[in-house]
Amino acid sequence: MKIREIHVHKFRNHAQTDAIFGERVNALLGQNGEGKTNLLEAISYLCLTKSFFGSTDGIVMQIGEERFEVSGELEGDTGIRYHVAVAYEHADNEKEFFINRTRVEKFSDVVGQFPVVVLSPESGAITTGGPADRRRFLDFVISQASKVYLEDLLEYRRVLRQRNKVLFDSKASRTDASDLLEPWNEELVDRGVRIVHRRNLFLEELQPMVAESYGSIAGRVENPMMRYESSVGSEELASEEAIRQAFLKELKRKAGEEKRFGITLVGPHRDELLLEINNLGVRSHASQGQHKTFLIALKVAEFLYLQSKRNERPILLLDDIFTELDEQRAEKLLVLTGSVGQSFITTTSGSVFPPDFNWASENKRFVVHGGTVEYEGARVLTH
Ligand SMILES: Nc1ncnc2c1ncn2[C@@H]1O[C@H](COP(=O)(O)OP(=O)(O)OP(=O)(O)O)[C@@H](O)[C@H]1O
Ligand SMILES: [Mg+2]
């Protein structure tokens, strides 16, 4: 997948930004606070209907404005062109998404059609943060690979909110809510089982890719492992039936506790993805370098996974990450970037690119300044 051009209107500090991108590396250079990350966020809207940071539509709309629009021309790996547009009206708090000028009814139909892999300073939380950060990673990737998963996830969250409300209300009023909980339990378990099962399957597929790319970065023998640990208490995650039985049993066992806390304590929203290197927990034991290597290995694997599921090379968004990496890892990543598909790399310093980097027409360099984006021709970089 490639973005050929983009038009950003009243989005963050971009009043009107129009750019024609290169087919491979697109460097976005600029000082702090000029609008580099904002442009990546606009790309996220174009490809995924929303911000990868989880910012709301009202927040990303330019301050003082009433609507924003991001549109562009995308091209699939087979050469199919798409005109894509996303527009938000603040007055009715309505967001619309169009593909080839036809309005898309369900956003879940769009997510994954234009796959994206993001690596930003926030991504570090995947290995250093808490379980919620790792669940977010799982959901972000699998949602792009599977529309069914995303729909299960959205429905699960809705059911969870309702069920929590019943529990919360009954705690507050000190009444027994068992009858009221019953209808929600079924839906919670149905969707929850599918989510747990799918996440486990995903990790099994990802594991060899992570091991492979970890090895190629670390350059020595270390054994990175991922393990899914579900709150439903099932040892057997390969079978939906086994997960279902364990889920029901655990819900029963935790019923008293749930009443006491007024909150749902069992289900994929409480699960953990354990990351280990040589059988030691990454979060508790890994060195800084090992954290970074694991993260990049995960991102490379994510790329390969989405590519195989979607038959489409994802667009790579690298936000301000080269400053964090040592030379060796940065070089590996840059080589990789050149060999994948289209990428967008924000940085405050042009020196992350080697002096002999080929700024031919497929690799472009832009300067971002005060919400404007200007193409810097190849001539600028002939050192
Ligand atoms: N809704 C908005 N409307 C207008 N301006 C906004 C809005 N949201 C953020 N900004 C402005 O955008 C700027 C930040 O842009 P951005 O995060 O893209 O910077 P950056 O170039 O990535 O900088 P850094 O190198 O520090 O990461 C800030 O100056 C902020 O005031
Ligand atoms: Mg930034």
Side-chain angles (χ1 to χ4, degrees), residues 31-38 40 53 121 319-320 346:
Q31 298 302 303
N32 295 131
E34 300 286 7
K36 303 182 298 295
T37 302
N38 293 348
L40 295 190
F53 290 130
D319 190 15
D320 205 19
T346 74

Side-chain angles (χ1 to χ4, degrees), residues 12-13 31-38 59-63 348:
R12 296 275 194 192
N13 69 339
Q31 298 302 303
N32 295 131
E34 300 286 7
K36 303 182 298 295
T37 302
N38 293 348
I59 292 287
V60 301
M61 184 176 69
Q62 190 155 82
I63 291 164
T348 49

